[in-house]
Each structure stands twice: as structure tokens, then as C-alpha cells.
Amino acid sequence: MSSSFVRMRLLLLLTAPVTGFAKTADPLSGAGLRTDLGAQLVQVLGGLGVVLALVLLLAWLTKRFSRSRLSGAHGLRLLGGISLGAKERIVLVQAGDVQLLVGVAPGRLQTLHVLEEPIQLQEQKETTDDGGFGQKLGQLLEQAKGKG
């Protein structure tokens, strides 16, 4: 076979879908082609809408169920925390009947203090006259500095 014949067949194979698509259109007005493109555009945008809706639904489900799992997993609860810097935090964790102050930094967790008397947060106590979590944590840190 000659190389021109091979080139011609390759060209026909590559353009076959395009010429097949163009056959449905009116060659003079191109009206059928515009209708087909419009239908395809609607189909593509509809598919994109469905995919975006699924992504948003999955994100919402993940957020909803991961929060409920972490809040009471195996008797552990995160009661509060204070940011000390860009990546450092102090958090108050309830583990059963024990409350712990934990220092959190990248790649490191350290127990700072085990509370002998659990802090009663405003949600848990009847009266709210003696300050919030931040004030209690500040008092505990001052006591820890005095002892150490």
C-alpha cells in the first residue's frame, strides 16, 4: 500500500465522528448542528450539576457524622481550648471522670495538668456567676506556675 493511501485512511478514521455528527445537520442552515450542540451543552451542564450536588452532600454528611463520632467516642470529650500561637493549643479533655489539660503542637501531645477537681463549664452548672472556661483555665495556669 502506498503511504498516501494510509494517510487518507487515517484521516478518514480521525474525522469519522465529526463527519458523522455533521450529517445530522442541515448543510445549508446548520440548524440541526446547533440543536445537537445545545442538547449536548444541557446534558454536560446537568451532569456537572449532579456531580457538584453529590460532592456537597458527601461533604455535609462527613461533617455531620464525624462531629458526632468525635464528641463522645469511647468516653472522651473535647470541652474547650485556647490557641497559643499559629500551631500550638491548650485543650481541656474529659476522659471518663478525669479532666486533663493537654498541650497540642505539631507532632507532639503533652499532658500539662490532671485536674483534681473537674471544671464545671457554663453548660453544665446551674449558676454562671464565676466566669467561663478561659477565666478558669487562666486561674489553673497561674496556680501551676506558683507550684512549679
Side-chain angles (χ1 to χ4, degrees):
M1 284 195 255
S2 69
S3 63
S4 63
F5 180 72
V6 172
R7 285 186 201 151
M8 179 65 89
R9 288 200 78 156
L10 183 59
L11 183 62
L12 285 173
L13 285 175
L14 291 176
T15 59
V18 174
T19 57
F21 181 75
K23 286 181 184 177
T24 62
D26 183 17
L28 297 177
S29 66
L33 184 61
R34 285 191 205 115
T35 305
D36 289 342
L37 285 178
Q40 286 182 349
L41 182 64
V42 168
Q43 186 179 7
V44 168
L45 290 178
L48 181 62
V50 168
V51 169
L52 288 176
L54 283 174
V55 167
L56 292 174
L57 177 68
L58 288 174
W60 177 76
L61 287 172
T62 302
K63 184 177 180 182
R64 178 181 166 105
F65 289 115
S66 67
R67 221 182 250 189
S68 64
R69 257 189 25 215
L70 292 177
S71 64
H74 307 290
L76 293 177
R77 282 188 355 171
L78 180 63
L79 300 177
I82 294 176
S83 179
L84 300 176
K87 297 181 180 180
E88 297 84 18
R89 293 182 55 84
I90 293 179
V91 295
L92 180 62
V93 177
Q94 177 89 30
D97 295 335
V98 179
Q99 288 184 347
L100 306 164
L101 280 177
V102 179
V104 180
R108 184 170 182 189
L109 292 174
Q110 183 175 0
T111 302
L112 301 175
H113 188 69
V114 177
L115 301 175
E116 296 153 4
E117 184 178 319
I119 295 175
Q120 297 296 321
L121 299 178
Q122 288 182 353
E123 303 161 355
Q124 297 173 343
K125 61 184 177 181
E126 298 291 322
T127 60
T128 58
D129 56 325
D130 59 341
F133 172 73
Q135 185 178 0
K136 289 281 191 180
L137 185 57
Q139 290 171 356
L140 287 171
L141 289 174
E142 289 298 321
Q143 289 175 357
K145 282 183 184 178
K147 289 181 184 177

